[in-house]
Amino acid sequence: MDIAQLGDKILTGDRRALARAITLVESGRADHRAQATALLEQLSSARRQAMRIGLSGTPGVGKSTFIEAFGMHLVGQGLRVAVLAVDPSSSRSGGSILGDKTRMERLSRERNAFIRPSPSQTHLGGVARRTREAVALCEAAGFDVVLIETVGVGQSETVVAEMSDLFLLLLAPAGGDELQGVKRGIMEMADLILINKADGDLKPAATRTCADYAGALRLLRKRPQDPKEFPKAMMVSALQEDGLVTAWDEMQALINWRKENGFWEATRANQARYWFDQEVRQALLARLDTPDARAMMDRLSSNVADGTMSPSAAADQMLRGHLKV
Ligand SMILES: Nc1nc2c(ncn2[C@@H]2O[C@H](COP(=O)(O)OP(=O)(O)OP(=O)(O)O)[C@@H](O)[C@H]2O)c(=O)[nH]1
Ligand SMILES: [Mg+2]
Protein backbone atom coordinates (compact mmCIF):
# COMPACT_ATOMS: atom_id res chain seq x y z
CA MET A 1 0.00 0.00 0.00
CA ASP A 2 1.34 3.44 -0.92
CA ILE A 3 0.87 5.39 2.28
CA ALA A 4 1.77 8.83 0.91
CA GLN A 5 -0.80 8.38 -1.84
CA LEU A 6 -3.44 7.22 0.62
CA GLY A 7 -2.71 10.29 2.73
CA ASP A 8 -3.12 12.63 -0.25
CA LYS A 9 -6.47 11.06 -1.05
CA ILE A 10 -7.66 11.47 2.51
CA LEU A 11 -6.72 15.15 2.39
CA THR A 12 -9.03 15.57 -0.61
CA GLY A 13 -11.86 14.15 1.50
CA ASP A 14 -12.08 10.80 -0.28
CA ARG A 15 -14.34 8.57 1.86
CA ARG A 16 -13.08 5.28 0.46
CA ALA A 17 -9.51 6.24 1.29
CA LEU A 18 -10.70 7.23 4.76
CA ALA A 19 -12.39 3.87 5.24
CA ARG A 20 -9.22 2.04 4.14
CA ALA A 21 -7.12 4.10 6.52
CA ILE A 22 -9.41 3.30 9.44
CA THR A 23 -9.08 -0.40 8.61
CA LEU A 24 -5.32 0.13 8.70
CA VAL A 25 -5.34 1.73 12.17
CA GLU A 26 -7.58 -1.08 13.42
CA SER A 27 -5.14 -3.76 12.33
CA GLY A 28 -3.08 -5.55 14.94
CA ARG A 29 -0.23 -6.39 12.53
CA ALA A 30 3.14 -4.80 13.30
CA ASP A 31 3.78 -3.72 9.68
CA HIS A 32 0.30 -2.15 9.53
CA ARG A 33 1.01 -0.33 12.80
CA ALA A 34 4.16 1.19 11.32
CA GLN A 35 2.22 2.28 8.21
CA ALA A 36 -0.59 3.72 10.33
CA THR A 37 1.89 5.74 12.38
CA ALA A 38 3.53 7.09 9.22
CA LEU A 39 0.15 7.99 7.75
CA LEU A 40 -0.97 9.83 10.88
CA GLU A 41 2.32 11.73 10.96
CA GLN A 42 1.84 12.80 7.36
CA LEU A 43 -1.74 13.93 7.98
CA SER A 44 -1.09 15.77 11.23
CA SER A 45 0.85 18.45 9.36
CA ALA A 46 -2.43 19.53 7.72
CA ARG A 47 -3.52 20.62 11.23
CA ARG A 48 -7.21 20.34 10.49
CA GLN A 49 -9.62 20.33 13.41
CA ALA A 50 -13.20 19.19 13.62
CA MET A 51 -15.65 19.68 16.44
CA ARG A 52 -15.46 16.39 18.29
CA ILE A 53 -18.69 15.50 20.01
CA GLY A 54 -18.86 12.49 22.35
CA LEU A 55 -22.28 10.95 22.85
CA SER A 56 -23.18 8.37 25.45
CA GLY A 57 -26.37 6.67 26.49
CA THR A 58 -27.70 3.31 27.61
CA PRO A 59 -29.03 0.84 25.03
CA GLY A 60 -32.36 1.91 23.59
CA VAL A 61 -32.19 5.54 24.76
CA GLY A 62 -32.22 6.69 21.14
CA LYS A 63 -28.56 7.32 20.22
CA SER A 64 -28.90 6.06 16.66
CA THR A 65 -32.16 7.92 16.12
CA PHE A 66 -30.59 11.08 17.54
CA ILE A 67 -27.45 10.79 15.41
CA GLU A 68 -29.53 10.28 12.30
CA ALA A 69 -31.73 13.33 12.94
CA PHE A 70 -28.97 15.55 14.32
CA GLY A 71 -26.54 14.50 11.61
CA MET A 72 -29.12 15.32 8.93
CA HIS A 73 -29.58 18.74 10.50
CA LEU A 74 -25.83 19.40 10.38
CA VAL A 75 -25.53 18.15 6.81
CA GLY A 76 -28.43 20.46 5.96
CA GLN A 77 -26.29 23.34 7.24
CA GLY A 78 -23.58 22.40 4.75
CA LEU A 79 -21.41 20.64 7.32
CA ARG A 80 -19.58 17.35 6.77
CA VAL A 81 -20.31 14.83 9.52
CA ALA A 82 -18.47 11.66 10.53
CA VAL A 83 -19.89 9.13 12.99
CA LEU A 84 -17.66 6.69 14.87
CA ALA A 85 -18.75 4.18 17.48
CA VAL A 86 -16.99 2.83 20.55
CA ASP A 87 -18.41 -0.40 21.85
CA PRO A 88 -15.91 -2.15 24.11
CA SER A 89 -18.50 -4.66 25.30
CA SER A 90 -18.33 -6.27 21.85
CA SER A 91 -21.73 -7.70 22.73
CA ARG A 92 -23.16 -5.94 19.74
CA SER A 93 -24.28 -8.48 17.21
CA GLY A 94 -24.31 -8.09 13.47
CA GLY A 95 -28.03 -7.52 13.93
CA SER A 96 -27.49 -4.29 15.82
CA ILE A 97 -25.17 -2.95 13.18
CA LEU A 98 -27.80 -3.78 10.61
CA GLY A 99 -30.30 -2.01 12.85
CA ASP A 100 -28.05 1.03 12.86
CA LYS A 101 -27.88 1.03 9.09
CA THR A 102 -31.65 1.21 8.86
CA ARG A 103 -31.91 3.73 11.71
CA MET A 104 -29.32 5.94 10.03
CA GLU A 105 -30.61 5.27 6.57
CA ARG A 106 -30.89 8.87 5.44
CA LEU A 107 -27.56 9.91 6.91
CA SER A 108 -25.71 6.93 5.48
CA ARG A 109 -26.84 7.97 1.99
CA GLU A 110 -25.54 11.53 2.35
CA ARG A 111 -22.38 12.43 0.45
CA ASN A 112 -21.28 14.64 3.31
CA ALA A 113 -21.64 11.97 5.94
CA PHE A 114 -19.41 9.06 6.89
CA ILE A 115 -20.54 6.33 9.29
CA ARG A 116 -18.21 3.74 10.73
CA PRO A 117 -19.46 1.07 13.15
CA SER A 118 -17.09 -0.14 15.84
CA PRO A 119 -14.93 -3.18 15.24
CA SER A 120 -15.82 -6.10 17.49
CA GLN A 121 -13.65 -8.00 19.94
CA THR A 122 -11.09 -5.43 20.88
CA HIS A 123 -10.00 -4.60 24.39
CA LEU A 124 -10.65 -1.08 25.64
CA GLY A 125 -7.05 0.05 25.13
CA GLY A 126 -7.24 -1.08 21.51
CA VAL A 127 -10.62 0.57 21.05
CA ALA A 128 -9.28 3.80 22.49
CA ARG A 129 -6.34 3.98 20.14
CA ARG A 130 -8.35 2.94 17.12
CA THR A 131 -11.04 5.52 17.80
CA ARG A 132 -8.61 8.32 18.60
CA GLU A 133 -6.74 7.64 15.38
CA ALA A 134 -9.96 7.33 13.40
CA VAL A 135 -10.97 10.75 14.73
CA ALA A 136 -7.66 12.18 13.53
CA LEU A 137 -8.22 10.62 10.10
CA CYS A 138 -11.71 12.13 9.88
CA GLU A 139 -10.32 15.54 10.81
CA ALA A 140 -7.66 15.26 8.10
CA ALA A 141 -10.40 14.29 5.63
CA GLY A 142 -12.01 17.65 6.31
CA PHE A 143 -15.02 16.65 8.38
CA ASP A 144 -16.45 19.54 10.36
CA VAL A 145 -18.09 17.47 13.07
CA VAL A 146 -17.03 14.06 14.35
CA LEU A 147 -19.62 12.30 16.51
CA ILE A 148 -18.20 9.58 18.73
CA GLU A 149 -20.93 7.34 20.07
CA THR A 150 -20.63 4.96 22.98
CA VAL A 151 -23.04 2.65 24.74
CA GLY A 152 -23.08 3.69 28.36
CA VAL A 153 -21.71 0.60 30.00
CA GLY A 154 -18.88 1.84 32.17
CA GLN A 155 -15.36 2.87 31.31
CA SER A 156 -15.98 3.66 27.67
CA GLU A 157 -17.42 7.08 28.59
CA THR A 158 -14.07 8.16 29.99
CA VAL A 159 -12.34 7.02 26.83
CA VAL A 160 -14.76 9.02 24.68
CA ALA A 161 -14.73 12.10 26.93
CA GLU A 162 -10.90 12.13 26.75
CA MET A 163 -11.07 12.52 22.99
CA SER A 164 -14.03 14.91 22.70
CA ASP A 165 -14.38 18.67 22.80
CA LEU A 166 -17.90 18.29 24.05
CA PHE A 167 -19.67 15.43 25.78
CA LEU A 168 -23.39 14.73 25.46
CA LEU A 169 -25.28 12.40 27.73
CA LEU A 170 -28.53 11.08 26.34
CA LEU A 171 -31.14 9.97 28.90
CA ALA A 172 -34.65 8.61 28.68
CA PRO A 173 -37.57 10.00 30.69
CA ALA A 174 -37.59 8.28 34.11
CA GLY A 175 -40.62 6.31 35.20
CA GLY A 176 -40.36 6.98 38.91
CA ASP A 177 -39.42 10.16 40.68
CA GLU A 178 -35.86 9.23 41.58
CA LEU A 179 -32.84 9.94 39.39
CA GLN A 180 -31.91 7.01 37.23
CA GLY A 181 -28.79 5.12 38.12
CA VAL A 182 -26.51 7.54 36.33
CA LYS A 183 -23.14 7.44 38.00
CA ARG A 184 -21.86 10.69 39.39
CA GLY A 185 -18.61 10.35 37.44
CA ILE A 186 -20.54 10.21 34.19
CA MET A 187 -22.70 13.19 35.13
CA GLU A 188 -19.51 15.12 35.85
CA MET A 189 -18.27 14.51 32.31
CA ALA A 190 -21.41 15.82 30.62
CA ASP A 191 -21.55 19.25 29.02
CA LEU A 192 -25.12 18.81 27.90
CA ILE A 193 -27.65 16.29 29.19
CA LEU A 194 -30.33 15.60 26.63
CA ILE A 195 -33.54 14.02 27.87
CA ASN A 196 -34.70 12.22 24.75
CA LYS A 197 -38.20 10.97 23.86
CA ALA A 198 -39.80 14.18 25.10
CA ASP A 199 -42.85 13.53 22.97
CA GLY A 200 -46.35 12.08 23.22
CA ASP A 201 -47.14 10.25 26.46
CA LEU A 202 -43.56 10.55 27.62
CA LYS A 203 -43.52 14.35 27.59
CA PRO A 204 -44.60 14.89 31.22
CA ALA A 205 -42.07 12.34 32.51
CA ALA A 206 -39.39 13.97 30.33
CA THR A 207 -40.19 17.37 31.81
CA ARG A 208 -39.81 16.02 35.36
CA THR A 209 -36.61 14.16 34.51
CA CYS A 210 -35.16 17.27 32.90
CA ALA A 211 -35.91 19.36 36.00
CA ASP A 212 -34.36 16.67 38.22
CA TYR A 213 -31.15 16.64 36.23
CA ALA A 214 -30.98 20.40 35.95
CA GLY A 215 -31.12 20.39 39.76
CA ALA A 216 -28.51 17.67 40.08
CA LEU A 217 -26.14 19.51 37.72
CA ARG A 218 -26.35 22.65 39.84
CA LEU A 219 -25.06 20.65 42.80
CA LEU A 220 -21.92 19.52 40.99
CA ARG A 221 -18.61 21.26 41.50
CA LYS A 222 -18.15 24.12 39.05
CA ARG A 223 -15.62 23.32 36.30
CA PRO A 224 -13.32 26.07 35.02
CA GLN A 225 -14.04 25.23 31.37
CA ASP A 226 -17.74 26.10 31.71
CA PRO A 227 -19.46 29.44 31.22
CA LYS A 228 -22.32 30.06 33.62
CA GLU A 229 -25.43 27.97 32.93
CA PHE A 230 -23.30 25.02 31.80
CA PRO A 231 -23.51 22.07 32.03
CA LYS A 232 -27.16 22.10 31.07
CA ALA A 233 -30.07 19.68 30.84
CA MET A 234 -32.61 20.03 28.05
CA MET A 235 -35.33 18.02 26.34
CA VAL A 236 -35.27 16.68 22.81
CA SER A 237 -37.21 14.28 20.67
CA ALA A 238 -34.93 12.57 18.20
CA LEU A 239 -37.94 10.86 16.65
CA GLN A 240 -39.89 14.07 16.04
CA GLU A 241 -36.72 16.08 15.48
CA ASP A 242 -37.64 18.47 18.24
CA GLY A 243 -35.11 20.55 20.11
CA LEU A 244 -32.22 19.59 17.87
CA VAL A 245 -31.66 23.10 16.55
CA THR A 246 -31.60 24.47 20.10
CA ALA A 247 -29.23 21.70 21.18
CA TRP A 248 -26.87 22.57 18.31
CA ASP A 249 -27.04 26.27 19.22
CA GLU A 250 -26.08 25.41 22.81
CA MET A 251 -23.18 23.26 21.64
CA GLN A 252 -21.85 26.02 19.42
CA ALA A 253 -22.24 28.62 22.15
CA LEU A 254 -20.29 26.46 24.57
CA ILE A 255 -17.54 25.67 22.07
CA ASN A 256 -17.19 29.31 21.05
CA TRP A 257 -16.92 30.39 24.66
CA ARG A 258 -14.25 27.77 25.31
CA LYS A 259 -12.32 28.83 22.21
CA GLU A 260 -12.44 32.49 23.18
CA ASN A 261 -11.32 31.73 26.71
CA GLY A 262 -8.47 29.37 25.90
CA PHE A 263 -10.13 26.20 27.19
CA TRP A 264 -10.48 24.52 23.81
CA GLU A 265 -6.71 24.58 23.20
CA ALA A 266 -5.90 23.74 26.80
CA THR A 267 -8.23 20.73 26.84
CA ARG A 268 -6.83 19.39 23.60
CA ALA A 269 -3.30 19.80 24.89
CA ASN A 270 -4.19 17.93 28.11
CA GLN A 271 -5.87 15.20 26.10
CA ALA A 272 -2.78 14.79 23.92
CA ARG A 273 -0.67 14.45 27.07
CA TYR A 274 -3.10 11.94 28.51
CA TRP A 275 -2.96 9.74 25.40
CA PHE A 276 0.81 9.94 25.22
CA ASP A 277 0.95 8.74 28.81
CA GLN A 278 -1.51 5.93 28.08
CA GLU A 279 0.43 4.79 25.01
CA VAL A 280 3.66 4.62 26.97
CA ARG A 281 2.03 2.63 29.77
CA GLN A 282 0.37 0.22 27.37
CA ALA A 283 3.55 -0.30 25.40
CA LEU A 284 5.41 -1.12 28.61
CA LEU A 285 2.75 -3.61 29.66
CA ALA A 286 2.82 -5.17 26.19
CA ARG A 287 6.49 -6.01 26.77
CA LEU A 288 5.47 -8.24 29.64
CA ASP A 289 3.10 -10.07 27.38
CA THR A 290 5.57 -11.86 25.10
CA PRO A 291 6.29 -15.62 25.44
CA ASP A 292 9.86 -14.89 26.59
CA ALA A 293 8.73 -12.41 29.20
CA ARG A 294 6.03 -14.72 30.49
CA ALA A 295 8.52 -17.59 30.79
CA MET A 296 10.95 -15.42 32.73
CA MET A 297 8.14 -14.15 34.91
CA ASP A 298 7.11 -17.75 35.72
CA ARG A 299 10.66 -18.73 36.55
CA LEU A 300 11.26 -15.73 38.81
CA SER A 301 7.87 -16.23 40.36
CA SER A 302 8.85 -19.77 41.44
CA ASN A 303 12.07 -18.44 42.92
CA VAL A 304 10.11 -15.91 44.91
CA ALA A 305 7.65 -18.58 46.05
CA ASP A 306 10.32 -20.98 47.32
CA GLY A 307 12.21 -18.19 49.04
CA THR A 308 15.37 -18.31 46.95
CA MET A 309 14.78 -14.75 45.80
CA SER A 310 13.12 -11.73 47.33
CA PRO A 311 10.20 -10.16 45.41
CA SER A 312 12.14 -6.94 44.87
CA ALA A 313 15.25 -8.65 43.57
CA ALA A 314 13.13 -10.75 41.21
CA ALA A 315 11.24 -7.71 39.98
CA ASP A 316 14.48 -5.88 39.44
CA GLN A 317 15.86 -8.73 37.37
CA MET A 318 12.64 -8.95 35.38
CA LEU A 319 12.65 -5.25 34.56
CA ARG A 320 16.30 -5.24 33.59
CA GLY A 321 15.70 -8.21 31.33
CA HIS A 322 12.50 -7.09 29.64
CA LEU A 323 11.71 -3.44 29.87
CA LYS A 324 14.87 -1.96 28.46
CA VAL A 325 13.97 0.84 26.06
N1 LIG B 1 -40.92 8.24 21.40
C1 LIG B 1 -39.65 8.28 21.03
N2 LIG B 1 -39.00 7.15 20.72
C2 LIG B 1 -37.71 7.24 20.34
C3 LIG B 1 -37.04 8.48 20.25
N3 LIG B 1 -35.78 8.26 19.86
C4 LIG B 1 -35.66 6.93 19.72
N4 LIG B 1 -36.82 6.31 19.99
C5 LIG B 1 -37.11 4.88 19.89
O1 LIG B 1 -36.34 4.16 20.84
C6 LIG B 1 -35.92 2.91 20.29
C7 LIG B 1 -34.40 2.81 20.40
O2 LIG B 1 -33.82 3.79 19.58
P1 LIG B 1 -32.31 3.70 19.05
O3 LIG B 1 -32.04 4.96 18.33
O4 LIG B 1 -32.09 2.45 18.33
O5 LIG B 1 -31.54 3.64 20.43
P2 LIG B 1 -29.97 3.38 20.68
O6 LIG B 1 -29.61 4.18 21.86
O7 LIG B 1 -29.21 3.61 19.43
O8 LIG B 1 -29.94 1.85 21.06
P3 LIG B 1 -28.69 0.83 20.98
O9 LIG B 1 -28.04 1.00 19.64
O10 LIG B 1 -29.28 -0.51 21.18
O11 LIG B 1 -27.77 1.19 22.11
C8 LIG B 1 -36.42 2.86 18.86
O12 LIG B 1 -37.60 2.12 18.85
C9 LIG B 1 -36.67 4.32 18.54
O13 LIG B 1 -37.69 4.50 17.58
C10 LIG B 1 -37.78 9.68 20.57
O14 LIG B 1 -37.30 10.81 20.52
N5 LIG B 1 -39.08 9.50 20.94
MG1 LIG C 1 -27.90 2.42 18.31
Side-chain angles (χ1 to χ4, degrees):
M1 189 184 313
D2 186 336
I3 291 299
Q5 209 177 0
L6 184 64
D8 288 341
K9 275 197 183 153
I10 291 172
L11 290 171
T12 68
D14 185 313
R15 287 187 302 178
R16 281 186 54 202
L18 174 60
R20 280 184 65 199
I22 295 180
T23 304
L24 184 68
V25 303
E26 282 168 1
S27 168
R29 269 172 52 178
D31 57 332
H32 286 167
R33 181 85 314 249
Q35 289 181 319
T37 305
L39 177 65
L40 288 159
E41 275 303 297
Q42 179 195 342
L43 295 175
S44 70
S45 56
R47 300 195 79 81
R48 291 187 183 154
Q49 289 191 331
M51 191 197 284
R52 305 174 182 170
I53 305 178
L55 173 78
S56 167
T58 47
V61 71
K63 295 180 295 300
S64 302
T65 313
F66 176 83
I67 290 170
E68 160 93 345
F70 184 64
M72 286 303 292
H73 172 67
L74 298 182
V75 165
Q77 309 256 300
L79 298 171
R80 297 185 71 218
V81 181
V83 181
L84 303 170
V86 177
D87 185 3
S89 68
S90 76
S91 60
R92 175 165 290 213
S93 64
S96 294
I97 292 168
L98 268 182
D100 269 353
K101 279 247 161 95
T102 49
R103 246 159 238 147
M104 299 192 205
E105 201 187 354
R106 285 182 299 152
L107 194 60
S108 60
R109 280 201 308 262
E110 283 291 331
R111 276 188 57 242
N112 284 333
F114 175 83
I115 300 177
R116 180 81 175 197
S118 62
S120 53
Q121 310 287 340
T122 355
H123 63 96
L124 195 55
V127 171
R129 176 196 277 164
R130 165 263 174 196
T131 310
R132 185 163 39 85
E133 293 181 343
V135 169
L137 293 170
C138 291
E139 290 191 309
F143 283 89
D144 301 293
V145 176
V146 180
L147 287 164
I148 313 157
E149 176 200 339
T150 187
V151 184
V153 286
Q155 277 193 304
S156 63
E157 284 93 346
T158 314
V159 168
V160 171
E162 282 290 351
M163 58 180 82
S164 304
D165 302 309
L166 198 124
F167 192 74
L168 308 179
L169 179 60
L170 220 58
L171 296 175
D177 53 4
E178 87 275 38
L179 295 187
Q180 302 159 73
V182 177
K183 293 200 191 74
R184 186 192 170 93
I186 292 169
M187 284 259 296
E188 284 171 344
M189 283 179 221
D191 295 306
L192 208 53
I193 291 184
L194 300 175
I195 316 297
N196 190 33
K197 310 196 182 183
D199 51 49
D201 292 348
L202 292 168
K203 187 75 183 267
T207 308
R208 277 195 310 273
T209 306
C210 188
D212 288 347
Y213 278 96
L217 285 174
R218 278 193 293 273
L219 297 177
L220 292 180
R221 186 166 49 87
K222 193 92 191 116
R223 307 177 303 181
Q225 72 272 28
D226 292 328
K228 61 173 188 299
E229 288 165 13
F230 277 93
K232 238 178 219 190
M234 57 176 289
M235 287 187 274
V236 294
S237 165
L239 202 61
Q240 300 193 346
E241 309 193 2
D242 244 5
L244 302 181
V245 177
T246 314
W248 175 232
D249 288 345
E250 297 285 6
M251 291 179 221
Q252 284 176 293
L254 178 59
I255 288 296
N256 289 338
W257 187 89
R258 284 183 180 165
K259 280 188 169 165
E260 282 157 17
N261 292 279
F263 291 108
W264 164 285
E265 284 293 326
T267 302
R268 285 210 171 196
N270 286 338
Q271 290 174 339
R273 275 186 236 258
Y274 172 86
W275 289 116
F276 164 64
D277 186 89
Q278 292 288 312
E279 286 283 328
V280 171
R281 282 165 201 277
Q282 268 167 33
L284 284 177
L285 286 176
R287 292 194 189 180
L288 292 176
D289 210 20
T290 63
D292 274 0
R294 276 195 300 269
M296 186 169 180
M297 197 91 169
D298 286 346
R299 191 162 50 73
L300 289 166
S301 174
S302 314
N303 294 345
V304 170
D306 65 22
T308 50
M309 254 183 133
S310 76
S312 342
D316 197 51
Q317 192 171 324
M318 182 69 211
L319 297 182
R320 280 174 207 280
H322 278 278
L323 293 185
K324 279 200 296 284
V325 184

